[in-house]
Amino acid sequence: MARLYVLFFVAQIVLAVCALISCLSAEEGEIRALPRIAWVLIILFFPLVGSIAWFVAGRTSTGARPRTPWPTGDGFSERKRARTVAPDDDPEFLRSIEERSRKDDELFRQWEDDLRRREDDLRRREGEPPREEDPPRAR
């Protein structure tokens, strides 16, 4: 008789664990009648009755909607995902960097020329001879 009680106790624990896992892994739309926390408390405090109640009344039937183990896709269309390219592989991005670099170089050259012109003007006003030109730069 003691073996029967032990078997009944183990079956009750296994049923409660399965019901608890099913309840916690169910999506919000699959839970009926009560909120998830209420179902969890019922299963924990009344393992046999709560587990049976969960499987009978707490969740939607599995035949109503086929459930995938995880959601498919990430919200982006396949076409958009296929077009995504890393920045160092994207020719348009690399072209924009080259253009920006050329514009920056030209702007720096203009600033340097303007600075040299201002320094020469200042030296002429002060009576100093203009400085010798720097050797040609590689452009």
Side-chain angles (χ1 to χ4, degrees), residues 98-129:
E98 285 177 21
E99 287 177 22
R100 192 177 323 145
S101 176
R102 270 188 261 126
K103 287 179 183 177
D104 288 346
D105 288 346
E106 182 61 32
L107 186 62
F108 287 136
R109 279 189 218 111
Q110 289 174 358
W111 286 346
E112 287 176 347
D113 293 343
D114 186 48
L115 183 61
R116 279 195 200 100
R117 186 180 47 79
R118 288 180 182 198
E119 286 177 346
D120 290 343
D121 288 346
L122 185 62
R123 284 194 178 112
R124 272 190 235 122
R125 284 186 204 148
E126 293 176 355
E128 295 178 16

Short mmCIF file of all heavy atoms in Angstrom, two decimals, residues 98-129:
data_model
loop_
_atom_site.label_atom_id
_atom_site.label_comp_id
_atom_site.label_asym_id
_atom_site.label_seq_id
_atom_site.Cartn_x
_atom_site.Cartn_y
_atom_site.Cartn_z
N GLU A 98 34.86 58.45 -49.14
CA GLU A 98 35.87 59.06 -50.01
C GLU A 98 35.51 60.51 -50.33
O GLU A 98 36.37 61.40 -50.30
CB GLU A 98 36.00 58.27 -51.32
CG GLU A 98 36.73 56.96 -51.16
CD GLU A 98 36.77 56.18 -52.47
OE1 GLU A 98 36.60 56.81 -53.54
OE2 GLU A 98 36.98 54.97 -52.40
N GLU A 99 34.25 60.76 -50.63
CA GLU A 99 33.81 62.13 -50.93
C GLU A 99 34.02 63.04 -49.74
O GLU A 99 34.51 64.16 -49.87
CB GLU A 99 32.34 62.14 -51.33
CG GLU A 99 32.07 61.59 -52.71
CD GLU A 99 30.59 61.57 -53.02
OE1 GLU A 99 29.83 62.34 -52.38
OE2 GLU A 99 30.19 60.80 -53.90
N ARG A 100 33.65 62.56 -48.57
CA ARG A 100 33.82 63.36 -47.36
C ARG A 100 35.30 63.64 -47.11
O ARG A 100 35.69 64.75 -46.73
CB ARG A 100 33.21 62.63 -46.16
CG ARG A 100 33.08 63.50 -44.95
CD ARG A 100 32.41 62.82 -43.78
NE ARG A 100 31.34 61.93 -44.16
CZ ARG A 100 31.06 60.80 -43.52
NH1 ARG A 100 31.77 60.43 -42.50
NH2 ARG A 100 30.07 60.04 -43.91
N SER A 101 36.13 62.63 -47.34
CA SER A 101 37.57 62.81 -47.15
C SER A 101 38.13 63.84 -48.13
O SER A 101 38.93 64.70 -47.74
CB SER A 101 38.27 61.46 -47.33
OG SER A 101 39.65 61.62 -47.23
N ARG A 102 37.70 63.76 -49.41
CA ARG A 102 38.15 64.74 -50.39
C ARG A 102 37.71 66.15 -50.01
O ARG A 102 38.48 67.10 -50.11
CB ARG A 102 37.63 64.38 -51.77
CG ARG A 102 38.58 63.48 -52.53
CD ARG A 102 38.14 63.29 -53.96
NE ARG A 102 37.46 61.99 -54.00
CZ ARG A 102 36.22 61.78 -54.46
NH1 ARG A 102 35.52 62.75 -54.94
NH2 ARG A 102 35.71 60.58 -54.45
N LYS A 103 36.47 66.30 -49.57
CA LYS A 103 35.98 67.61 -49.18
C LYS A 103 36.76 68.15 -47.98
O LYS A 103 37.12 69.33 -47.94
CB LYS A 103 34.49 67.54 -48.83
CG LYS A 103 33.60 67.38 -50.02
CD LYS A 103 32.15 67.29 -49.60
CE LYS A 103 31.25 67.05 -50.79
NZ LYS A 103 29.84 66.90 -50.38
N ASP A 104 37.03 67.28 -47.01
CA ASP A 104 37.81 67.71 -45.84
C ASP A 104 39.22 68.13 -46.24
O ASP A 104 39.75 69.13 -45.75
CB ASP A 104 37.87 66.60 -44.79
CG ASP A 104 36.55 66.39 -44.09
OD1 ASP A 104 35.66 67.26 -44.22
OD2 ASP A 104 36.40 65.35 -43.40
N ASP A 105 39.86 67.34 -47.14
CA ASP A 105 41.21 67.69 -47.59
C ASP A 105 41.22 69.04 -48.29
O ASP A 105 42.11 69.87 -48.08
CB ASP A 105 41.76 66.61 -48.53
CG ASP A 105 42.12 65.33 -47.80
OD1 ASP A 105 42.18 65.36 -46.56
OD2 ASP A 105 42.32 64.29 -48.49
N GLU A 106 40.25 69.26 -49.15
CA GLU A 106 40.17 70.54 -49.87
C GLU A 106 39.95 71.69 -48.89
O GLU A 106 40.56 72.75 -49.01
CB GLU A 106 39.03 70.49 -50.89
CG GLU A 106 38.91 71.74 -51.71
CD GLU A 106 40.14 72.02 -52.53
OE1 GLU A 106 40.83 71.07 -52.96
OE2 GLU A 106 40.44 73.21 -52.74
N LEU A 107 39.10 71.48 -47.90
CA LEU A 107 38.85 72.52 -46.91
C LEU A 107 40.12 72.82 -46.11
O LEU A 107 40.44 73.99 -45.87
CB LEU A 107 37.73 72.07 -45.97
CG LEU A 107 37.22 73.07 -44.96
CD1 LEU A 107 36.62 74.27 -45.67
CD2 LEU A 107 36.18 72.42 -44.06
N PHE A 108 40.87 71.79 -45.74
CA PHE A 108 42.13 72.01 -45.01
C PHE A 108 43.14 72.77 -45.88
O PHE A 108 43.85 73.65 -45.40
CB PHE A 108 42.73 70.69 -44.53
CG PHE A 108 41.99 70.08 -43.38
CD1 PHE A 108 41.70 68.72 -43.36
CD2 PHE A 108 41.59 70.85 -42.29
CE1 PHE A 108 41.01 68.15 -42.31
CE2 PHE A 108 40.90 70.28 -41.24
CZ PHE A 108 40.61 68.93 -41.25
N ARG A 109 43.20 72.41 -47.15
CA ARG A 109 44.11 73.14 -48.06
C ARG A 109 43.73 74.61 -48.14
O ARG A 109 44.59 75.48 -48.11
CB ARG A 109 44.07 72.52 -49.46
CG ARG A 109 44.94 71.31 -49.57
CD ARG A 109 45.06 70.86 -51.03
NE ARG A 109 45.04 69.41 -51.02
CZ ARG A 109 44.07 68.64 -51.47
NH1 ARG A 109 43.03 69.16 -52.05
NH2 ARG A 109 44.15 67.35 -51.37
N GLN A 110 42.44 74.90 -48.23
CA GLN A 110 41.98 76.29 -48.28
C GLN A 110 42.35 77.03 -46.99
O GLN A 110 42.79 78.18 -47.02
CB GLN A 110 40.48 76.36 -48.51
CG GLN A 110 40.05 75.96 -49.90
CD GLN A 110 38.55 75.91 -50.03
OE1 GLN A 110 37.81 76.15 -49.07
NE2 GLN A 110 38.08 75.60 -51.25
N TRP A 111 42.16 76.34 -45.85
CA TRP A 111 42.50 76.97 -44.57
C TRP A 111 44.00 77.26 -44.49
O TRP A 111 44.42 78.31 -44.00
CB TRP A 111 42.07 76.10 -43.41
CG TRP A 111 40.61 76.08 -43.15
CD1 TRP A 111 39.67 76.92 -43.64
CD2 TRP A 111 39.92 75.15 -42.32
NE1 TRP A 111 38.44 76.59 -43.18
CE2 TRP A 111 38.55 75.49 -42.36
CE3 TRP A 111 40.30 74.05 -41.56
CZ2 TRP A 111 37.58 74.79 -41.65
CZ3 TRP A 111 39.34 73.35 -40.86
CH2 TRP A 111 37.99 73.72 -40.90
N GLU A 112 44.83 76.28 -44.91
CA GLU A 112 46.28 76.49 -44.88
C GLU A 112 46.69 77.63 -45.78
O GLU A 112 47.52 78.48 -45.40
CB GLU A 112 47.01 75.21 -45.30
CG GLU A 112 46.98 74.12 -44.28
CD GLU A 112 47.62 72.83 -44.77
OE1 GLU A 112 47.88 72.70 -46.00
OE2 GLU A 112 47.85 71.95 -43.94
N ASP A 113 46.12 77.69 -46.99
CA ASP A 113 46.45 78.78 -47.91
C ASP A 113 46.02 80.12 -47.32
O ASP A 113 46.76 81.12 -47.40
CB ASP A 113 45.77 78.57 -49.27
CG ASP A 113 46.33 77.37 -50.01
OD1 ASP A 113 47.45 76.92 -49.64
OD2 ASP A 113 45.66 76.88 -50.95
N ASP A 114 44.85 80.18 -46.73
CA ASP A 114 44.37 81.42 -46.11
C ASP A 114 45.27 81.82 -44.95
O ASP A 114 45.59 83.01 -44.78
CB ASP A 114 42.93 81.22 -45.65
CG ASP A 114 42.31 82.50 -45.14
OD1 ASP A 114 42.43 83.54 -45.84
OD2 ASP A 114 41.70 82.46 -44.04
N LEU A 115 45.69 80.85 -44.15
CA LEU A 115 46.57 81.14 -43.02
C LEU A 115 47.92 81.68 -43.50
O LEU A 115 48.45 82.66 -42.95
CB LEU A 115 46.77 79.89 -42.17
CG LEU A 115 47.60 80.04 -40.91
CD1 LEU A 115 46.97 81.05 -39.97
CD2 LEU A 115 47.78 78.70 -40.23
N ARG A 116 48.48 81.04 -44.54
CA ARG A 116 49.76 81.53 -45.10
C ARG A 116 49.61 82.97 -45.62
O ARG A 116 50.47 83.82 -45.41
CB ARG A 116 50.21 80.63 -46.23
CG ARG A 116 50.90 79.39 -45.77
CD ARG A 116 51.64 78.70 -46.90
NE ARG A 116 51.86 77.33 -46.50
CZ ARG A 116 51.15 76.29 -46.89
NH1 ARG A 116 50.16 76.45 -47.73
NH2 ARG A 116 51.42 75.08 -46.45
N ARG A 117 48.52 83.24 -46.33
CA ARG A 117 48.28 84.58 -46.87
C ARG A 117 48.17 85.60 -45.74
O ARG A 117 48.78 86.67 -45.79
CB ARG A 117 47.00 84.58 -47.70
CG ARG A 117 46.74 85.89 -48.42
CD ARG A 117 45.47 85.85 -49.22
NE ARG A 117 44.31 85.31 -48.52
CZ ARG A 117 43.57 86.01 -47.63
NH1 ARG A 117 43.89 87.24 -47.33
NH2 ARG A 117 42.53 85.45 -47.06
N ARG A 118 47.47 85.27 -44.69
CA ARG A 118 47.33 86.19 -43.55
C ARG A 118 48.67 86.42 -42.85
O ARG A 118 48.99 87.53 -42.44
CB ARG A 118 46.31 85.65 -42.55
CG ARG A 118 44.90 85.74 -43.05
CD ARG A 118 43.94 85.20 -42.03
NE ARG A 118 42.59 85.23 -42.52
CZ ARG A 118 41.54 85.15 -41.75
NH1 ARG A 118 41.69 85.04 -40.45
NH2 ARG A 118 40.34 85.17 -42.26
N GLU A 119 49.45 85.34 -42.69
CA GLU A 119 50.77 85.50 -42.05
C GLU A 119 51.66 86.41 -42.89
O GLU A 119 52.37 87.28 -42.37
CB GLU A 119 51.44 84.14 -41.86
CG GLU A 119 50.84 83.31 -40.76
CD GLU A 119 51.48 81.93 -40.66
OE1 GLU A 119 52.20 81.51 -41.59
OE2 GLU A 119 51.26 81.27 -39.63
N ASP A 120 51.64 86.20 -44.22
CA ASP A 120 52.45 87.05 -45.11
C ASP A 120 51.99 88.50 -45.04
O ASP A 120 52.82 89.42 -44.98
CB ASP A 120 52.39 86.53 -46.55
CG ASP A 120 53.13 85.22 -46.72
OD1 ASP A 120 53.95 84.88 -45.83
OD2 ASP A 120 52.89 84.52 -47.73
N ASP A 121 50.69 88.74 -45.03
CA ASP A 121 50.16 90.11 -44.91
C ASP A 121 50.60 90.75 -43.60
O ASP A 121 51.00 91.92 -43.56
CB ASP A 121 48.64 90.12 -45.01
CG ASP A 121 48.13 89.84 -46.40
OD1 ASP A 121 48.94 89.90 -47.35
OD2 ASP A 121 46.91 89.56 -46.54
N LEU A 122 50.56 89.99 -42.52
CA LEU A 122 50.96 90.51 -41.21
C LEU A 122 52.45 90.84 -41.19
O LEU A 122 52.86 91.88 -40.65
CB LEU A 122 50.61 89.48 -40.13
CG LEU A 122 50.84 89.90 -38.69
CD1 LEU A 122 49.97 91.10 -38.33
CD2 LEU A 122 50.54 88.76 -37.76
N ARG A 123 53.26 89.99 -41.79
CA ARG A 123 54.70 90.24 -41.83
C ARG A 123 55.01 91.50 -42.65
O ARG A 123 55.90 92.28 -42.31
CB ARG A 123 55.43 89.03 -42.40
CG ARG A 123 55.53 87.90 -41.43
CD ARG A 123 56.54 86.86 -41.89
NE ARG A 123 56.62 85.83 -40.89
CZ ARG A 123 56.21 84.56 -41.06
NH1 ARG A 123 55.70 84.19 -42.21
NH2 ARG A 123 56.32 83.70 -40.08
N ARG A 124 54.31 91.69 -43.77
CA ARG A 124 54.52 92.89 -44.59
C ARG A 124 54.18 94.14 -43.81
O ARG A 124 54.87 95.15 -43.92
CB ARG A 124 53.67 92.81 -45.85
CG ARG A 124 54.39 92.08 -46.96
CD ARG A 124 53.66 92.20 -48.29
NE ARG A 124 53.45 90.83 -48.77
CZ ARG A 124 52.29 90.28 -49.04
NH1 ARG A 124 51.19 90.95 -48.93
NH2 ARG A 124 52.23 89.04 -49.45
N ARG A 125 53.11 94.09 -43.04
CA ARG A 125 52.71 95.27 -42.24
C ARG A 125 53.75 95.60 -41.18
O ARG A 125 53.97 96.75 -40.84
CB ARG A 125 51.37 95.02 -41.55
CG ARG A 125 50.22 95.11 -42.49
CD ARG A 125 48.93 95.00 -41.71
NE ARG A 125 47.88 94.54 -42.60
CZ ARG A 125 46.87 93.79 -42.25
NH1 ARG A 125 46.73 93.41 -41.00
NH2 ARG A 125 45.97 93.44 -43.12
N GLU A 126 54.35 94.56 -40.62
CA GLU A 126 55.34 94.77 -39.56
C GLU A 126 56.72 95.05 -40.13
O GLU A 126 57.65 95.33 -39.38
CB GLU A 126 55.38 93.55 -38.64
CG GLU A 126 54.10 93.35 -37.85
CD GLU A 126 54.13 92.08 -37.01
OE1 GLU A 126 55.09 91.29 -37.11
OE2 GLU A 126 53.17 91.88 -36.26
N GLY A 127 56.90 94.95 -41.40
CA GLY A 127 58.17 95.27 -42.03
C GLY A 127 59.10 94.08 -42.13
O GLY A 127 60.25 94.22 -42.53
N GLU A 128 58.67 92.92 -41.78
CA GLU A 128 59.52 91.74 -41.91
C GLU A 128 59.41 91.21 -43.33
O GLU A 128 58.38 91.35 -43.98
CB GLU A 128 59.08 90.64 -40.94
CG GLU A 128 59.23 91.01 -39.48
CD GLU A 128 58.71 89.89 -38.59
OE1 GLU A 128 58.53 88.76 -39.07
OE2 GLU A 128 58.48 90.15 -37.41
N PRO A 129 60.47 90.58 -43.81
CA PRO A 129 60.38 89.99 -45.15
C PRO A 129 59.45 88.77 -45.12
O PRO A 129 59.39 88.06 -44.11
CB PRO A 129 61.82 89.58 -45.48
CG PRO A 129 62.50 89.47 -44.17
CD PRO A 129 61.79 90.40 -43.22
#
